[in-house]
Amino acid sequence: MIKNFFLLNFNKNNHYSNYEIQKGENSSVNVFSDNLFTTIIFGNPSYTKNLNIENFYKDWKNKYDRKNFKEIDGEFIIIEISKREDSIKVINSRFASPTLYYYIDNETVYLSNNFFCIAKKLYKVGKFKINQNAVYEFFKFRRIFGNKTLDINSRFLMPFSVLDIQKSKFNIYRYWKPNYKKNNRSLEDNAYSLKEELVKSWNFLLSDIKKPILMLSGGLDTRFALATCPVELDCLNFSYSENRESEAAKKSCEVVNQKYIWSKLNIGKYQTYHDYSSRVNSSMYVVDAVHYGHEEIIKNYDAVFSGYAIDWFFQGWYCAYSSIKFFGNQLYLKIPREVDDDFINFFLTNCLFIAKGHSIDFFIKSKDQKDLFQSLLKDLNEILNEAKEYSDNKNDWYDFINIGNPSRKYSYGAQLCLKEYGKHRILPFTNNLYNLYLQLPHKHKFDARVERKALEITNKKLANIPSGNTGFKVKYGSLMQTACSGAKFLKRISTFKKRDKSLQRTWLEFGDIMRKEYKKDIINLKNDNEINDLKFIDHDKLSNYINNWEEGSDKVSSHFLHLMLTYRSFINQLRN
């Protein structure tokens, strides 16, 4: 069972105020009612930089007259039911987090933060119809673009939107507009601002709790979060063995005198939590099982914090760059590059989150390739056209097509997992930090320059601890990382040492997961009913590839195989 969800069911034959609601055991849904409205609040909205739902509702009702949406901070969904007009209004945050899915026909309205809940209802009454274009995008990109879902008639509510539902119609409009106008401040000034705003975000998101825990890795983002935390904080790190990642996390806690907790991950975790994760992420995000199974530790805390989205916004992940290979190995070095005039082709060629390994495109029937690709181009051009409404800079367009819809990013599935524990707080999902991200010059975001500088300003000792990602000081940019890597290589070959191939990160290598945990399931995909029902798949080519992979003649463990397993699990659970 999903633990953090709500599902609202409205029968159009009745008054909308006579709704049905279901919710999970860890779902925080607050319902307020007066003579004119019923107001349902999910998440953490605030007008005042303090979290208190009762106070927010009073301000919403009295001070702001249920308006001024763009001033609401944080992650939230507000559902307002008008008793007089018999209508529904849904407002979400500028991050579209929590997510909101909706289905509307002549008889019924469904609203939920979890698509599986809606899909299950639709399947029971024969209304669920697979969106083949959405499945193709999921297999190709590990995510879905736009407002599509896996059902033809269900939708995802886009960021900073108002969904207005009447009995005979509905419409959507935007209440806010991103401002991409860049500031002209120095790198150091912007780094100070980033530090200050992250401290403010901590204070805001801590304002209703007493005992937080931080999911601490060995990388830059959670270390920066740790450095700026203004209160006593416990930190949880987990890995398959005590390695470079856990050592970096442990040293970071020692520097700032915060409690360090380590938990061992075991082989089999992905299998154990695959079906659960497929329900939570509704087969529209990557299954990330390492975050599951920590209930015994986390139950002792009021809220979970993580470093998610700090990297998206302030490491310049989606600034265009070129890289160099040396004897077949890609160097750390990142070289800024211009975004081509042929924008969509540039995006498709350089997309960082496209599924690795063999592309799903090689396993599509010839007759379906054109239609699927044209549908994809239509979606991407719609996103590009929206980006052009906000900026005339191609770098901003490139940022927007990648993360302009933050909660559709492929790794948001990990955040959905953490939300299953109850209160999960995402530090950058506050209005001021989002505005800072939008207005930072690209040269400051590139190669994490502004974040690395902000960490060094905050705590030099933390900046000098090696990163769990690379083994080099976390303050180093890609040029210094490349130089250190070269020096390390020369030292190793001069002393005739073999390369250390032991696992130094949190996650297993993808190929190991596939062969150690999913091999039997992958082989069974050859005759799987759910996959066979996908009309665009060339099942002969797929079977040949799986046979070759099983025998070892094709050693490439493609991401799309894992995504197919996620999709299969999702559909099976709808039917059973």
Side-chain angles (χ1 to χ4, degrees):
M1 187 64 184
I2 302 165
K3 297 178 181 178
N4 190 357
F5 82 94
F6 72 87
L7 173 65
L8 288 166
N9 178 3
F10 300 88
N11 185 330
K12 285 192 171 182
N13 293 321
N14 300 327
H15 199 284
Y16 279 148
S17 60
N18 297 322
Y19 61 88
E20 296 178 5
I21 185 169
Q22 296 173 257
K23 55 184 180 177
E25 62 184 84
N26 288 339
S27 175
S28 179
V29 177
N30 294 273
V31 182
F32 302 90
S33 190
D34 59 25
N35 292 332
L36 297 177
F37 296 95
T38 295
T39 305
I40 302 169
I41 301 173
F42 184 72
N44 305 297
S46 175
Y47 284 115
T48 63
K49 303 297 183 185
N50 281 288
L51 293 176
N52 184 299
I53 290 295
E54 287 76 16
N55 288 343
F56 170 80
Y57 174 69
K58 291 176 184 177
D59 286 342
W60 164 261
K61 177 183 175 181
N62 301 319
K63 186 175 180 180
Y64 294 101
D65 194 26
R66 307 175 192 276
K67 298 175 183 176
N68 211 11
F69 307 144
K70 66 181 180 180
E71 298 302 322
I72 305 175
D73 208 348
E75 299 176 75
F76 62 86
I77 298 167
I78 300 171
I79 301 167
E80 188 102 292
I81 305 166
S82 172
K83 298 177 182 179
R84 178 184 295 169
E85 297 179 3
D86 198 14
S87 63
I88 306 167
K89 185 174 289 184
V90 184
I91 307 102
N92 71 349
S93 73
R94 59 183 67 180
F95 318 100
S97 182
T99 52
L100 190 285
Y101 300 93
Y102 60 96
Y103 172 88
I104 303 171
D105 66 14
N106 292 329
E107 301 171 335
T108 307
V109 176
Y110 288 124
L111 303 173
S112 180
N113 67 309
N114 178 273
F115 174 65
F116 179 83
C117 296
I118 293 178
K120 188 81 171 174
K121 290 285 189 181
L122 296 178
Y123 189 85
K124 283 183 178 179
V125 295
K127 292 183 177 181
F128 183 83
K129 185 178 180 182
I130 289 293
N131 186 332
Q132 304 267 337
N133 292 319
V135 178
Y136 164 67
E137 285 185 14
F138 179 57
F139 290 169
K140 184 174 176 66
F141 294 99
R142 301 184 286 170
R143 59 163 287 181
I144 295 173
F145 292 101
N147 67 352
K148 296 187 302 301
T149 71
L150 296 186
D151 170 59
I152 287 286
N153 296 308
S154 302
R155 294 289 181 268
F156 169 96
L157 187 62
M158 300 291 275
F160 43 95
S161 291
V162 178
L163 169 62
D164 196 349
I165 306 171
Q166 309 293 326
K167 281 296 173 83
S168 59
K169 63 180 181 179
F170 69 92
N171 65 79
I172 298 172
Y173 64 91
R174 298 294 185 81
Y175 65 82
W176 178 75
K177 182 178 180 179
N179 177 12
Y180 279 95
K181 185 178 180 180
K182 306 306 177 190
N183 67 47
N184 58 4
R185 303 167 68 194
S186 69
L187 174 65
E188 187 161 345
D189 284 345
N190 275 324
Y192 270 107
S193 292
L194 176 54
K195 171 197 170 183
E196 290 168 0
E197 290 300 337
L198 201 63
V199 172
K200 290 177 184 177
S201 180
W202 268 114
N203 285 321
F204 170 39
L205 298 176
L206 288 166
S207 59
D208 65 334
I209 63 172
K210 295 181 178 179
K211 194 174 182 183
I213 187 169
L214 172 66
M215 297 295 202
L216 181 67
S217 71
L220 173 61
D221 304 307
T222 56
R223 195 176 305 178
F224 184 35
L226 176 66
T228 52
C229 183
V231 301
E232 185 177 322
L233 179 77
D234 291 359
C235 300
L236 174 62
N237 173 265
F238 41 79
S239 52
Y240 287 88
S241 63
E242 293 186 272
N243 55 18
R244 186 174 70 202
E245 185 96 39
S246 59
E247 182 63 21
K250 184 178 180 181
K251 285 183 178 178
S252 297
C253 285
E254 289 171 353
V255 164
V256 294
N257 197 30
Q258 301 282 31
K259 183 178 179 180
Y260 171 76
I261 303 167
W262 180 71
S263 180
K264 180 176 173 56
L265 302 176
N266 295 303
I267 300 293
K269 196 172 187 68
Y270 278 82
Q271 272 284 2
T272 300
Y273 291 99
H274 188 87
D275 288 344
Y276 180 21
S277 182
S278 297
R279 294 193 301 274
V280 171
N281 71 32
S282 301
S283 189
M284 292 187 284
Y285 305 92
V286 174
V287 165
D288 202 347
V290 298
H291 292 298
Y292 289 95
H294 305 290
E295 287 85 358
E296 285 303 307
I297 297 173
I298 292 174
K299 71 180 183 181
N300 299 312
Y301 297 89
D302 299 326
V304 179
F305 288 80
S306 67
Y308 282 108
I310 299 177
D311 49 0
W312 316 348
F313 294 163
F314 303 109
Q315 276 202 41
W317 266 26
Y318 299 107
C319 294
Y321 71 92
S322 298
S323 56
I324 298 172
K325 286 189 175 181
F326 182 73
F327 288 104
N329 296 310
Q330 186 166 306
L331 302 182
Y332 290 107
L333 184 63
K334 293 182 177 181
I335 304 169
R337 64 179 296 188
E338 292 291 323
V339 177
D340 291 350
D341 290 335
D342 187 357
F343 182 86
I344 299 299
N345 184 60
F346 181 87
F347 167 73
L348 292 172
T349 304
N350 295 279
C351 178
L352 293 178
F353 49 78
I354 203 163
K356 304 299 188 292
H358 298 312
S359 171
I360 190 63
D361 291 334
F362 294 122
F363 303 92
I364 294 174
K365 293 176 182 176
S366 298
K367 67 182 182 67
D368 294 316
Q369 289 177 352
K370 182 178 179 180
D371 287 345
L372 287 170
F373 190 65
Q374 288 302 316
S375 175
L376 171 62
L377 288 180
K378 180 177 179 291
D379 290 344
L380 296 178
N381 274 295
E382 286 179 359
I383 299 171
L384 174 58
N385 289 335
E386 183 181 353
K388 289 179 178 180
E389 295 177 15
Y390 308 139
S391 173
D392 58 5
N393 186 297
K394 287 185 290 186
N395 289 311
D396 293 331
W397 304 348
Y398 196 64
D399 239 21
F400 188 81
I401 203 168
N402 280 286
I403 52 172
N405 194 341
S407 63
R408 297 230 87 170
K409 190 178 184 296
Y410 75 96
S411 60
Y412 188 79
Q415 296 174 53
L416 292 174
C417 163
L418 293 173
K419 289 180 184 298
E420 283 292 279
Y421 294 115
K423 293 180 180 178
H424 173 236
R425 305 283 167 83
I426 304 172
L427 289 163
F429 282 8
T430 57
N431 293 352
N432 284 351
L433 272 171
Y434 197 40
N435 289 337
L436 177 61
Y437 146 72
L438 292 171
Q439 294 160 28
L440 280 174
H442 288 277
K443 63 182 180 181
H444 290 181
K445 289 186 288 187
F446 187 81
D447 202 14
R449 290 178 69 210
V450 70
E451 187 180 350
R452 289 186 287 110
K453 175 61 73 173
L455 175 60
E456 199 166 9
I457 289 169
T458 307
N459 191 310
K460 288 185 178 180
K461 289 183 178 180
L462 285 179
N464 281 300
I465 294 174
S467 165
N469 300 2
T470 64
F472 311 125
K473 291 181 180 181
V474 79
K475 70 179 183 180
Y476 287 167
S478 65
L479 179 60
M480 277 298 294
Q481 290 170 3
T482 302
C484 291
S485 180
K488 184 178 178 181
F489 171 75
L490 292 173
K491 181 178 179 180
R492 178 170 62 81
I493 62 172
S494 67
T495 55
F496 304 101
K497 287 185 177 181
K498 291 184 178 181
R499 183 180 179 183
D500 182 4
K501 295 184 179 180
S502 61
L503 182 66
Q504 297 298 332
R505 299 296 312 282
T506 297
W507 290 266
L508 291 173
E509 293 294 330
F510 183 72
D512 288 340
I513 296 173
M514 298 292 276
R515 292 193 177 276
K516 291 179 179 179
E517 298 203 34
Y518 287 113
K519 185 173 183 179
K520 184 177 178 180
D521 291 324
I522 290 170
I523 294 168
N524 289 337
L525 285 175
K526 293 184 292 184
N527 300 304
D528 185 80
N529 291 333
E530 317 304 346
I531 301 303
N532 287 336
D533 284 345
L534 295 172
K535 305 303 182 186
F536 64 87
I537 297 292
D538 187 323
H539 298 284
D540 290 336
K541 285 185 179 180
L542 177 63
S543 294
N544 287 336
Y545 165 47
I546 293 174
N547 287 335
N548 293 335
W549 179 83
E550 180 186 6
E551 294 165 1
S553 58
D554 191 329
K555 300 184 183 300
V556 178
S557 295
S558 300
H559 279 171
F560 80 79
L561 293 174
H562 190 237
L563 302 173
M564 281 185 170
L565 293 176
T566 304
Y567 171 79
R568 183 190 70 175
S569 172
F570 173 80
I571 298 296
N572 277 336
Q573 291 180 88
L574 288 186
R575 294 179 175 174
N576 297 324

